[in-house]
Amino acid sequence: MTEVPIERLGPAETRAVAERIAWAFHHLDVTRWLVPDEAKREAVLADNFEILVDHAMRHGIVHGTADRSAVAVWFPQAGEPAPPPADYDARLAAACGEWTPRFQHLDELFEANHPHADHHHLAFLAVAPQRQGSGLGSALLRHHHAVLDAEGVRGYLEASSERSRDLYARHGYRAAEPFRLPDGSAFHPMWRDPRG
C-alpha cells in the first residue's frame, strides 16, 4: 500500500481545519444533539472547532494530508496540562450561541472522563465525507503512532461513533465504558499502549 503523504499544519490553516472537521462530523448523532438545527449545525461546529484547533496550533500538533481532505488534531499531555484556550467562555458563547449550554455540558463530560496519566490526546480525526473509507484516517493514525511508539507514549481519544470506535480498535485502541449525552448518544473513551 502506498503511504499517504502527511504534513504538519500551521496557524494559517486553522479555519480550514475547523471547517474540515465540521463537515466530517455534521451528521454524527453527537453533533445532532449539540446543534439540533441542521441548517446552522456546520457553521456553529466550525466556529467551535476553530477555538480548539487554534489552541492546538499553539499547544498541540495538527497534521493533514497533502490535499487537506483529512486532518488530525493531537494534544500531548504530560505533567501539567496546557492552559485552557484564552477567553474560552466568551469565545464559546460567541461561537455556539443558544446551544452554548450543550457544549458546556459536553466539556464537563470530557473533563470528568479524561485520564491523568501521560498521553497524547487525539481530539479530532476528520476525513471529508466523500473520502471516508479510503485509508486517509488510518494513514494519519499510523503517522502519529510511529512517534508515540518511538517515545513510549500512550494514545487516548473519545470515539464519537461506533464506526470510528471500530477504526480505532483496528489500530490498537481498547474501549472503556462509554459516557453519554442526555439523548443517549455515546462517546467511547479509548486507550492505545505504545508498541515495540
Side-chain angles (χ1 to χ4, degrees):
M1 175 178 160
T2 304
E3 197 52 59
V4 176
I6 305 295
E7 301 172 4
R8 185 155 182 180
L9 308 185
E13 298 192 72
T14 296
R15 182 65 190 185
V17 170
E19 290 175 349
R20 165 63 65 239
I21 300 166
W23 187 25
F25 288 10
H26 182 263
H27 292 294
L28 294 174
D29 290 343
V30 294
T31 58
R32 286 190 179 110
W33 180 80
L34 285 168
V35 185
D37 185 337
E38 185 172 3
K40 296 180 180 177
R41 185 178 307 136
E42 193 171 328
V44 171
L45 291 174
D47 288 347
N48 173 255
F49 296 153
E50 185 173 6
I51 300 168
L52 302 171
V53 174
D54 174 66
H55 196 54
M57 293 294 183
R58 294 166 172 40
H59 300 283
I61 302 162
V62 182
H63 289 130
T65 54
D67 64 359
R68 307 303 189 257
S69 58
V71 296
V73 177
W74 293 88
F75 285 98
Q77 302 201 343
E80 287 297 310
D87 301 317
Y88 180 69
D89 292 340
R91 292 167 73 190
L92 185 71
C96 303
E98 66 187 284
W99 298 292
T100 300
R102 293 183 179 223
F103 284 84
Q104 290 170 328
H105 181 78
L106 179 59
D107 285 346
E108 290 167 5
L109 282 174
F110 280 156
E111 180 66 27
N113 288 277
H114 200 92
H116 298 289
D118 291 355
H119 63 280
H120 281 204
H121 176 212
L122 178 59
F124 302 108
L125 177 68
V127 180
Q130 73 274 18
R131 301 290 303 278
Q132 290 176 7
S134 64
L136 299 182
S138 289
L140 283 164
L141 289 170
R142 283 192 301 272
H143 180 80
H144 198 72
H145 288 165
V147 174
L148 299 185
D149 292 345
E151 296 179 358
V153 176
R154 299 173 83 191
Y156 172 77
L157 57 86
E158 303 99 351
S160 55
S161 69
E162 291 184 1
R163 180 180 180 189
S164 63
R165 180 197 62 198
D166 294 346
L167 166 70
Y168 297 129
R170 291 194 297 274
H171 286 271
Y173 286 85
R174 297 181 320 279
E177 190 68 25
F179 58 90
R180 298 183 183 276
L181 294 172
D183 71 341
S185 301
F187 282 93
H188 305 270
M190 302 185 78
W191 274 107
R192 178 186 181 273
D193 291 320
R195 297 175 177 173

